[in-house]
Amino acid sequence: MADALTLLPATQSGSVAGSSPGRGAREGPRRALVVGASGLLGENLCRRIAATPGWHLTTLSRRPPTIGGGGHVALDLRARDDCLAHARAFADVTHVFFCARELSRGYGISVDANGEMLVNLLDALAEGAPSLAHVQLMHGLKWYGTHVGPVGLPARESDPAHADSSFYRRQQEELMRRSVRAGWSWSTIRPHFLCAFATGSPSNLVLMLGTYASVLRELGEDLWFPGSEAAFDAVTGCVDIDLVTSAMLWAASSRNCADNAFNIGNGDFFRWRDLWPKIAAAFGMRPGPVRPTDLPRFMADKGPAWDRIVACRGLRPLPFAGMADWHFAHNNVFGLGWDVVPSLVKAHRFGFHEVVDTEEMFARLFARYRAERILP
């Protein structure tokens, strides 16, 4: 590393509620810069910020988001010179929420590309954002290596980064080095399986499940589980996106949360074996057996089946290719044959107490997709 800095575990910095103010604490109006504002998380975060008193919004993405604010910066973070040329657009920014990520075909994630995107933005902020108080990264449980194999349970924020922690370690180390020099604080949020009402997102668990169930029903089949027996029995969890965006604002603005990482989840956990009959019932189906399947290959020719569903049920004509990323579903959802259980104790101790019942969440989101004529 270029700087002589010891990177302490996240729980060794910051303090519990009632302590002295954290670094980067700011009173008065806050100007949020949401990076990746047109994505699944970014748009939902923009919606929350726009509705929260005391916050003002600036958005940054390659394509305009549906939620506007005080201004939009159309920018490709991979273009370093372009980032620096836009530095003055960040003059009033106090809080940055970095929700952007670079994905390639098949849900491939480049460590180098995602690291460079953050560096380019931080360089522009160093030049053009004198009021910057806090920078937050949206990460996930890949920090612990949950995508590679079994990890210690529960996974705690003080656990070191896994050797294959995607781009998370590189980004967090960069953030920590910069914050020491610049005086602003940082935080990272680590959820698992975002659940939301949205379209066009490769990792939207709810729409993926609904599309998969609808196609099998159209084919006259039961709702069989496409992963392994081990994945069917593994303990896992997910998180409502409204809870995530609430946690993001909490961690970025609470004095005691400075320089900390937080696992965020609904507060309950499940096995697919127990939840699967309820998902089947939501679509008027019978739960089927475990049938390990190459899901991207199986779904590759199901476009015509989806078109029949759209025509017969009067759905909005959304293209089948944009309904779900089946590589994500195959590898990250149904491909994990081990327990994934993060500890949520730290967030509770620091003052975040919101919870969501996962079964009720799925029922509510499926109902909304139907009301909006996206799922049958």
Side-chain angles (χ1 to χ4, degrees):
M1 299 178 187
D3 300 316
L5 174 64
T6 300
L7 297 178
L8 300 175
T11 51
Q12 290 183 248
S13 57
S15 53
V16 295
S19 63
S20 59
R23 293 190 312 110
R26 180 182 178 85
E27 301 294 341
R30 302 179 174 105
R31 167 68 64 176
L33 175 67
V34 176
V35 183
S38 61
L40 169 70
L41 177 62
E43 289 203 345
N44 280 274
L45 178 60
C46 287
R47 190 172 293 110
R48 177 172 291 277
I49 290 172
T52 302
W55 285 88
H56 305 281
L57 177 64
T58 296
T59 55
L60 188 158
S61 56
R62 281 175 285 188
R63 55 187 174 88
T66 58
I67 304 297
H72 176 67
V73 181
L75 184 60
D76 183 348
L77 293 175
R78 297 170 301 181
R80 177 174 177 78
D81 290 344
D82 201 17
C83 287
L84 296 176
H86 282 83
R88 286 183 294 179
F90 311 132
D92 297 329
V93 168
T94 61
H95 292 71
V96 174
F97 297 89
F98 195 89
C99 307
R101 67 173 59 183
E102 180 68 17
L103 296 174
S104 60
R105 187 174 181 179
Y107 208 75
I109 300 177
S110 168
V111 174
D112 290 340
N114 283 280
E116 290 165 3
M117 287 164 58
L118 178 63
V119 167
N120 291 342
L121 178 65
L122 292 177
D123 284 345
L125 292 168
E127 182 176 325
S131 300
L132 184 61
H134 191 88
V135 179
Q136 183 180 98
L137 300 178
M138 174 51 61
H139 283 169
L141 301 191
K142 287 186 177 69
W143 175 273
Y144 308 108
T146 57
H147 58 305
V148 177
V151 301
L153 298 181
R156 301 182 187 277
E157 293 89 341
S158 54
D159 295 342
H162 188 272
D164 185 7
S165 58
S166 188
F167 55 87
Y168 298 161
R169 180 184 176 110
R170 176 170 173 178
Q171 284 192 341
Q172 184 167 315
E173 288 180 345
E174 185 68 32
L175 203 66
M176 294 172 75
R177 283 197 296 269
R178 300 272 188 138
S179 69
V180 170
R181 294 196 301 263
W184 39 259
S185 60
W186 61 270
S187 62
T188 63
I189 303 296
R190 299 173 185 167
H192 187 50
F193 291 158
L194 294 178
C195 297
F197 174 80
T199 59
S201 170
S203 56
N204 185 354
L205 181 63
V206 181
L207 186 56
M208 180 272 292
L209 288 169
T211 303
Y212 175 70
S214 300
V215 168
L216 288 189
R217 187 174 66 177
E218 174 66 18
L219 298 177
E221 301 190 28
D222 293 337
L223 185 66
W224 44 268
F225 184 77
S228 66
E229 288 279 358
F232 203 41
D233 284 324
V235 178
T236 190
C238 56
V239 59
D240 190 305
I241 204 161
D242 288 339
L243 187 148
V244 172
T245 58
S246 178
M248 292 172 74
L249 288 194
W250 162 78
S253 57
S254 298
R255 292 173 178 267
N256 61 297
C257 291
D259 307 333
N260 276 278
F262 295 98
N263 296 333
I264 297 296
N266 278 352
D268 57 7
F269 297 92
F270 61 87
R271 301 180 194 273
W272 286 115
R273 182 177 296 278
D274 298 321
L275 187 61
W276 208 245
K278 297 177 175 65
I279 295 174
F283 289 87
M285 303 173 70
R286 296 183 303 180
V290 173
R291 188 185 299 175
T293 301
D294 184 331
L295 206 51
R297 179 176 296 180
F298 176 78
M299 300 301 286
D301 64 351
K302 300 304 185 290
W306 179 252
D307 291 341
R308 292 196 301 271
I309 296 170
V310 170
C312 293
R313 303 298 292 270
L315 303 183
R316 290 164 53 183
L318 300 177
F320 182 66
M323 298 299 288
D325 186 315
W326 302 111
H327 290 90
F328 170 80
H330 179 73
N331 296 318
N332 297 81
V333 178
F334 302 125
L336 306 185
W338 47 83
D339 297 341
V340 178
V341 181
S343 170
L344 305 178
V345 170
K346 182 179 176 183
H348 284 272
R349 284 181 171 171
F350 275 61
F352 186 76
H353 304 298
E354 295 182 31
V355 294
V356 170
D357 183 282
T358 295
E359 291 185 16
E360 292 177 359
M361 177 202 71
F362 275 115
R364 167 171 45 84
L365 290 173
F366 286 146
R368 184 172 178 192
Y369 276 112
R370 291 193 177 100
E372 296 290 340
R373 296 187 303 109
I374 295 172
L375 289 177

